């Protein structure tokens, strides 16, 4: 099962390209494209010969507030300086901006494009190296079950590239009782067609490749944040031994003999 999910996986090392990404300083145009979400627009910076790389291949950074932009990305910070910008999602060669419902793109798009050009002209960093990796799909063999590993591989190799085509992204949050919990990001978030994408596309693919998956469910930002904090604490305390979580501070044999 895990081999099937891994079959289509391919990913360039994020850290190895980081230095190169920070150095691009050529003349730039910015193309805009509509997404299935009317409140979200996709912007693609382009240089004289090719796309302007933003993040390493396959890495997504979803920024939902001006405060988090200050911590994570000078580019996002500039974009949040445009009145009406609600969310920013950064990808390898494009970014999406989500606006307030009461605004029109014909007024907002020129301001967004100017903010991107100003960021580029000033030679500012894209984001801090601290936030580069897609940690949600990084496999922890000491904690993740075979099913969870398969889910993460399928997201990374097939599902995430598929939703990114329309300027969206998904983040793995957790797996409990046959339910995969995902956070919809970028153009996928609050999109009228997101339910169809989730149930008709993602859930169908998950259930086909991984029989243990019974449902795929979207969770909101608050739930995702609380759940991630809880799971980080659990990972520090427990590890997976023969399919069971056991305390990391005790000898594995003693724990298993006691039936914990």
């Amino acid at each position: 099962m895990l081999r099937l999910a891994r079959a289509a996986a391919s990913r360039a090392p994020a850290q190895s390209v980081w230095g190169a990404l920070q150095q691009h300083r050529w003349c730039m145009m910015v193309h805009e494209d509509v997404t299935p979400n009317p409140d979200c627009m996709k912007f693609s910076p382009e240089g004289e010969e090719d796309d302007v790389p933003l993040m390493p291949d396959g890495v997504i950074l979803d920024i939902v507030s001006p405060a988090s932009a200050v911590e994570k990305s000078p580019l996002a910070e500039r974009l949040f300086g445009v009145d009406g910008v609600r969310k920013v999602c950064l990808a390898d060669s494009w970014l999406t901006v989500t606006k307030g419902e009461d605004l029109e793109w014909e007024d907002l798009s020129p301001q967004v494009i100017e903010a991107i050009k100003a960021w580029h002209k000033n030679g500012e960093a894209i984001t801090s190296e601290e936030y580069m990796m897609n940690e949600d799909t990084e496999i922890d063999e000491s904690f993740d079950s075979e099913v969870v590993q398969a889910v993460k591989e399928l997201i990374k190799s097939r599902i995430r590239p598929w939703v990114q085509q329309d300027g969206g992204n998904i983040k793995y949050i957790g797996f409990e009782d046959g339910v995969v919990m995902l956070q919809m990001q970028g153009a996928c978030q609050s999109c009228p067609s997101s339910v169809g994408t989730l149930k008709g596309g993602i859930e169908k693919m998950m259930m086909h490749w991984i029989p243990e998956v019974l449902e795929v469910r979207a969770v909101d930002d608050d739930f995702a944040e609380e759940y991630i904090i809880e799971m980080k604490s659990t990972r520090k305390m427990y590890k997976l031994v023969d399919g069971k979580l056991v305390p990391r501070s005790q000898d594995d044999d003693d724990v298993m003999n006691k039936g914990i």
Side-chain angles (χ1 to χ4, degrees), residues 200-245:
I202 298 173
E203 183 177 83
K204 186 176 180 180
M205 187 183 299
M206 284 270 191
M207 294 174 68
H208 172 76
W209 287 105
I210 309 170
E212 291 84 353
V213 173
L214 305 178
E215 181 186 356
V216 176
R217 187 180 302 167
V219 299
D220 61 30
D221 295 344
D222 292 337
F223 178 91
E225 183 177 1
E226 293 177 4
Y227 191 90
I228 290 171
I229 292 174
E230 180 182 340
M231 291 307 296
K232 283 183 177 180
S233 176
T234 303
R235 285 176 186 272
K236 291 180 180 179
M237 297 171 60
Y238 296 93
K239 63 180 178 179
L240 195 69
V241 177
D242 294 335
K244 296 181 180 180
L245 289 178

Side-chain angles (χ1 to χ4, degrees), residues 24-252:
H24 287 277
R25 298 287 179 262
W26 50 60
C27 296
M28 183 181 67
M29 297 180 61
V30 180
H31 298 280
E32 54 185 317
D33 297 289
V34 297
T35 73
N37 184 347
D39 291 325
C40 185
M41 188 74 76
K42 181 178 179 180
F43 297 88
S44 303
E46 189 174 289
E48 294 177 346
E49 299 180 357
D50 206 348
D51 295 336
V52 174
L54 299 175
M55 307 289 284
D57 186 32
V59 176
I60 294 288
L61 181 60
D62 195 58
I63 304 173
V64 299
S65 70
S68 60
V70 171
E71 297 176 358
K72 298 178 181 181
S73 169
L75 173 55
E77 185 177 0
R78 276 192 176 271
L79 292 170
F80 273 104
V82 177
D83 189 29
V85 170
R86 297 291 180 263
K87 295 181 180 180
V88 175
C89 185
L90 304 176
D92 52 2
S93 61
W94 52 266
L95 62 90
T96 59
V97 171
T98 302
K99 67 174 182 62
E101 295 181 357
D102 56 335
L103 300 172
E104 298 296 332
W105 281 116
E106 63 180 50
D107 299 322
L108 196 62
S109 284
Q111 299 178 60
V112 169
I113 291 173
E114 284 305 311
I116 296 172
K117 289 183 175 181
W119 158 81
H120 183 267
K121 182 178 180 181
N122 288 344
E124 298 170 359
I126 301 164
T127 184
S128 65
E129 192 168 348
E130 178 183 357
Y131 294 95
M132 293 307 298
M133 298 300 295
N134 282 335
E135 295 181 353
D136 62 312
T137 50
E138 291 299 308
I139 291 175
D140 180 358
E141 294 185 352
S142 72
F143 187 84
D144 293 337
S145 67
E146 185 173 323
V147 174
V148 169
Q149 291 184 44
V151 168
K152 288 183 174 183
E153 288 289 354
L154 193 59
I155 290 172
K156 184 163 53 177
S157 63
R158 293 191 176 187
I159 297 174
R160 181 170 280 151
W162 172 54
V163 299
Q164 286 179 356
Q165 293 177 10
D166 287 324
N169 186 50
I170 57 169
K171 181 177 181 179
Y172 171 81
I173 302 302
F175 177 77
E176 285 189 12
D177 301 324
V179 179
V180 176
M181 294 172 283
L182 302 176
Q183 185 180 20
M184 311 298 278
Q185 299 179 333
C188 289
Q189 197 167 42
S190 71
C191 174
S193 60
S194 61
V195 175
T197 299
L198 184 72
K199 294 296 182 180
I202 298 173
E203 183 177 83
K204 186 176 180 180
M205 187 183 299
M206 284 270 191
M207 294 174 68
H208 172 76
W209 287 105
I210 309 170
E212 291 84 353
V213 173
L214 305 178
E215 181 186 356
V216 176
R217 187 180 302 167
V219 299
D220 61 30
D221 295 344
D222 292 337
F223 178 91
E225 183 177 1
E226 293 177 4
Y227 191 90
I228 290 171
I229 292 174
E230 180 182 340
M231 291 307 296
K232 283 183 177 180
S233 176
T234 303
R235 285 176 186 272
K236 291 180 180 179
M237 297 171 60
Y238 296 93
K239 63 180 178 179
L240 195 69
V241 177
D242 294 335
K244 296 181 180 180
L245 289 178
V246 299
R248 291 184 181 271
S249 59
Q250 297 184 28
D251 181 82
D252 293 346

